[in-house]
């Protein structure tokens, strides 16, 4: 691709997102050796860089953009790469505000080079900084510079890059645009892991010293990685030095979303382990599904809750492979159908095999064994996970058809959102002898349904409160009154939503909400021996990892490989009778078959 096409491509991108990047003021980037970018200036501008560096060499009366004479290209001057593009950007409206400066690194003798620069800038006076044009372009001279006592002889728009650890009140601060130092004078850190504290303090002390003179600071030769960008951002470096301005801007602009400090803690319940793993009869099965909940999501919640969870008290665990029948990466419909029916199916399908044939699900099957059954979700009841336990349909988003299956199911209890989806089904639900109640306190009778919201329930951080905990406790009381064995599926749906939106706060808060419910279910299992508790996920969402965090302050930083589901194995935790049977690595369909094997062993049709 030639230079003209590349420039046109970048300009079209800037029209879409360049202005938004320029408004990002939480951090400032220095585009180091910007003239070496494939598209000089526009790359830095599109990333919102506030400091843009060009090395120049005086040759035959021209300021060539190059680091050394051998690399000079006659077409690349300070005018062609920077001053003319800025002019065109202003005239076209792509540059509505000059909130960046050029750092001009002189590689040839200072006074002669500046004499030529002054002559060049006469053609660009209209856009230069002055007391009458405070929003104009500033040039900061670096590299070979005149003596500090001569700084004041140069125009208002020209400032200088001061490079010394020795700072004092006697310096010409009014003409110093920034203070720059080699990072290697303070630290040998390579940008991986964490800086040695003594070296980190030396860097911080210098930053603070520069700031005491109300000037910005930059380090050259510094590590150029995500860990480094974050470290320098947290220490307050004003212009973070990078050869990768777009990547740095993308990472730093998302830090606020990727880092979360938890302030809502809960105490954990310590299990009794009286019959945990014992080969005693299984009376009840509670399957808890954290939608999208992988190891990183669990770990993040653990670190954010003072390094402890109800879930991580458990001793028996395994790993589940989640692939769908037609795809390496499953969706919730195929994933939950595997748990509900013991068969792999295509993505988007609910309770049917790949050919569309209906599959019997756990509530239907267990009804013949004298079991009651129920589903609870923070999603709408037509959502893929809860619907997999009552519906039989090849398209998860066809809500009208899915809703029609609820009255035909063998469920005795349902709790969730999405009442509006069932407007046409109210008569059928009542004819199926479901009592539709107005509150969780009214879960009484043989068959009960509670619509918790007309549409979707809010997220925890949006005010959902302890809905899932109250719903689960109410359901357990409902089943206790029925005095029959039961199967209950509890879904925490919005961990998945946090993964899709790459929202660390949503992932952590929803996982912690889920963990409070896990604690109460484990307590119930201790009080009701013969209860088998299984906690797992239908898939992982977001390709989440945890690059950094701080347990002492309950803070975690998550990174995301995707905004969709992934094929990563998910954990399964088990507690209670026969919980040891769920150790190992196996397909998601095996969860169903392991449950059925145990129930057939202890129950008769």
């Amino acid at each position: 691709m030639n230079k003209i096409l590349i420039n046109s491509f970048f300009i079209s991108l800037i029209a879409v997102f360049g202005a938004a990047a320029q408004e990002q003021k939480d951090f400032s980037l220095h585009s180091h050796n910007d003239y070496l970018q494939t598209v000089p200036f526009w790359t830095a501008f599109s990333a919102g860089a506030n400091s843009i560096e060009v090395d120049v060499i005086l040759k035959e009366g021209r300021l060539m953009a190059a680091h050394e004479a051998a690399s000079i290209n006659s077409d690349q001057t300070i005018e062609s790469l920077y001053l003319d593009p800025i002019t065109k950007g202003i005239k076209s409206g792509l540059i509505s505000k000059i909130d960046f400066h050029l750092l001009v690194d002189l590689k040839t003798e200072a006074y002669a080079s500046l004499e030529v620069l002054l002559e060049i800038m006469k053609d660009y006076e209209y856009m230069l900084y002055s007391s009458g044009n405070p929003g104009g372009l500033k040039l900061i001279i670096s590299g070979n510079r005149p003596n500090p006592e001569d700084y004041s002889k140069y125009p208002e728009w020209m400032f200088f890059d001061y490079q010394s650890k020795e700072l004092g009140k006697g310096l010409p601060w009014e003409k110093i645009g920034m203070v720059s130092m080699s990072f290697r004078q303070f630290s040998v850190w390579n940008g991986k892991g964490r800086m040695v504290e003594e070296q980190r303090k030396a860097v911080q002390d210098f930053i603070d010293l520069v700031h005491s003179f109300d000037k910005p600071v930059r380090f050259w030769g510094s590590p150029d990685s995500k860990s480094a960008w974050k470290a320098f951002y947290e220490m307050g470096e004003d212009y973070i030095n990078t050869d990768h301005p777009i990547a740095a801007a993308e990472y730093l602009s998302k830090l606020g979303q990727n880092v979360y400090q938890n302030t809502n803690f809960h105490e954990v319940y310590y299990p009794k382990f009286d019959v945990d793993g014992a080969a005693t009869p299984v009376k009840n099965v509670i399957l808890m599904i954290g939608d999208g909940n992988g190891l990183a999501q669990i770990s993040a919640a653990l670190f954010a809750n003072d390094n402890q969870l109800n879930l991580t008290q458990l001793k028996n665990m395994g790993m589940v492979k989640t692939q769908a029948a037609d795809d390496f990466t499953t969706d919730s419909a195929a994933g939950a159908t595997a748990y509900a029916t013991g068969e792999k199916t295509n993505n988007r399908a609910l309770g049917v095999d790949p050919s569309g044939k209906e599959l019997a699900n756990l509530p239907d099957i267990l009804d013949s064994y004298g079991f009651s059954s129920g589903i609870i979700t923070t999603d709408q009841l037509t959502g893929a996970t809860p619907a997999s336990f009552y519906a039989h349909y090849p398209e998860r988003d066809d809500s009208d058809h899915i809703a029609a299956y609820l009255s035909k199911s063998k469920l005795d209890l349902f709790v969730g959102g999405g009442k509006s989806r069932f407007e046409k089904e109210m008569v059928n639900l009542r004819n199926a002898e479901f009592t539709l109640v107005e509150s969780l306190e009214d879960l009484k009778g043989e068959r009960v349904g509670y619509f918790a919201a007309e549409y979707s329930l809010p997220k925890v951080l949006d005010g959902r409160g302890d809905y899932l905990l109250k719903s689960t406790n109410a359901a357990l009381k409902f089943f206790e009154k029925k005095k029959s064995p039961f199967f209950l599926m509890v879904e925490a749906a919005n961990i998945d939503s946090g993964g899709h939106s790459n929202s660390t706060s949503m992932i952590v808060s929803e996982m912690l909400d889920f963990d409070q419910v896990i604690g109460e279910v484990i307590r119930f299992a201790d009080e009701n021996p013969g209860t088998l508790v299984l906690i797992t996920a239908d898939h992982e969402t977001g390709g989440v990892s945890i690059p950094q965090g701080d347990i002492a302050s309950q803070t975690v930083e998550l990174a995301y490989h995707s905004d969709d589901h992934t094929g990563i194995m998910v954990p399964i935790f088990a507690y209670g009778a026969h919980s040891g049977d769920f150790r190992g690595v196996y397909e998601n369909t095996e969860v169903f078959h392991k449950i059925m094997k145990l129930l057939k062993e202890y129950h008769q049709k």
Side-chain angles (χ1 to χ4, degrees), residues 329-520:
T329 302
T330 191
D331 72 350
S332 294
T337 293
Y339 289 144
T341 70
E343 298 289 337
K344 296 272 189 181
T345 193
N346 295 339
N347 279 341
R348 307 200 68 79
L350 300 166
V352 295
D353 70 11
S355 70
K357 179 183 176 181
E358 287 194 8
L359 298 169
N361 57 42
L362 280 169
D364 291 344
I365 297 168
L366 295 182
D367 180 69
S368 63
Y369 286 86
F371 274 66
S372 299
S373 60
I375 56 173
I376 300 172
T377 182
T378 55
D379 195 2
Q380 297 194 33
L381 282 157
T382 52
T385 300
S388 294
F389 289 85
Y390 69 82
H392 308 276
Y393 201 71
E395 174 49 65
R396 60 179 287 179
D397 283 342
D398 196 338
S399 298
D400 289 343
H401 280 91
I402 294 167
Y405 282 97
L406 186 55
S407 62
K408 303 170 187 176
S409 74
K410 297 298 183 180
L411 289 171
D412 298 279
L413 171 73
F414 63 81
V415 178
K419 182 179 180 180
S420 63
R421 305 288 191 183
F422 292 87
E423 287 181 359
K424 299 177 182 178
E425 289 298 312
M426 292 303 178
V427 172
N428 291 334
L429 288 170
R430 291 189 177 95
N431 288 341
E433 299 183 348
F434 275 106
T435 300
L436 304 180
V437 301
E438 297 298 321
S439 73
L440 291 170
E441 288 72 26
D442 296 328
L443 296 187
K444 302 170 185 176
E446 289 301 309
R447 306 188 81 189
V448 182
Y450 173 60
F451 292 105
E454 193 71 21
Y455 300 100
S456 295
L457 286 150
K459 310 298 188 290
V460 167
L461 294 178
D462 295 328
R464 191 175 71 229
D466 56 357
Y467 153 82
L468 189 60
L469 180 62
K470 288 181 177 177
S471 298
T472 304
N473 281 331
L476 294 175
K477 291 177 182 177
F478 169 80
F479 287 122
E480 281 187 293
K481 291 177 182 177
K482 290 178 75 71
K483 299 186 183 304
S484 60
F486 68 84
F487 167 79
L488 175 64
M489 190 285 294
V490 179
E491 184 202 18
N494 298 125
I495 303 168
D496 177 66
S497 301
H500 281 300
S501 60
N502 289 179
S503 171
T504 301
S505 59
M506 192 185 305
I507 287 174
V508 174
S509 59
E510 294 290 338
M511 175 54 207
L512 290 177
D513 180 65
F514 187 39
D515 189 64
Q516 291 187 66
V517 183
I518 291 169
E520 287 303 302

Side-chain angles (χ1 to χ4, degrees), residues 553-582:
S553 64
Q554 293 80 41
T555 302
V556 290
E557 176 192 354
L558 301 189
Y560 302 89
H561 178 73
S562 170
D563 61 0
D564 207 343
H565 304 166
T566 71
I568 300 171
M569 289 191 294
V570 296
I572 183 167
F573 294 78
Y575 183 72
H578 283 277
S579 59
D581 293 13
F582 291 83

Side-chain angles (χ1 to χ4, degrees), residues 210-227:
V210 175
H211 287 171
S212 72
F213 293 96
D214 198 26
K215 290 296 175 179
V217 62
R218 173 183 73 96
F219 298 99
W220 78 82
S222 56
D224 202 4
S225 65
K226 290 179 179 179
S227 295

Side-chain angles (χ1 to χ4, degrees), residues 107-151:
K107 297 301 181 184
T108 45
E109 196 274 331
Y111 289 94
S113 298
L114 287 178
E115 185 177 344
V116 174
L117 181 61
L118 289 171
E119 189 65 27
I120 290 171
M121 298 309 295
K122 288 179 180 179
D123 292 333
Y124 302 93
E125 285 184 348
Y126 79 96
M127 69 177 180
L128 295 176
Y129 167 84
S130 69
S131 55
N133 184 24
L137 177 67
K138 297 178 180 179
L139 271 61
I140 299 178
I141 307 304
S142 187
N144 293 323
R145 288 149 294 155
N147 296 322
E149 57 266 26
D150 291 334
Y151 288 178

Side-chain angles (χ1 to χ4, degrees), residues 10 13-14 17-22 41-49 246 249:
F10 261 81
L13 286 181
I14 291 159
F17 64 80
Q22 286 291 322
F41 177 69
W42 291 116
T43 298
F45 179 79
S46 67
I246 290 178

Side-chain angles (χ1 to χ4, degrees), residues 288-298 317-323 330 335 339 535-541 565-573 582 584-588 591:
M288 308 184 74
I289 299 176
D291 200 324
N293 197 29
L295 280 173
Q297 288 85 342
I298 293 168
M317 60 198 73
M319 297 297 293
V320 175
K321 294 179 278 186
T322 64
Q323 281 63 45
T330 191
Y339 289 144
I535 306 118
T536 189
D538 46 0
H539 53 73
E540 193 275 347
T541 304
H565 304 166
T566 71
I568 300 171
M569 289 191 294
V570 296
I572 183 167
F573 294 78
F582 291 83
V585 179
Y586 43 85
E587 296 289 342
N588 50 9
V591 175

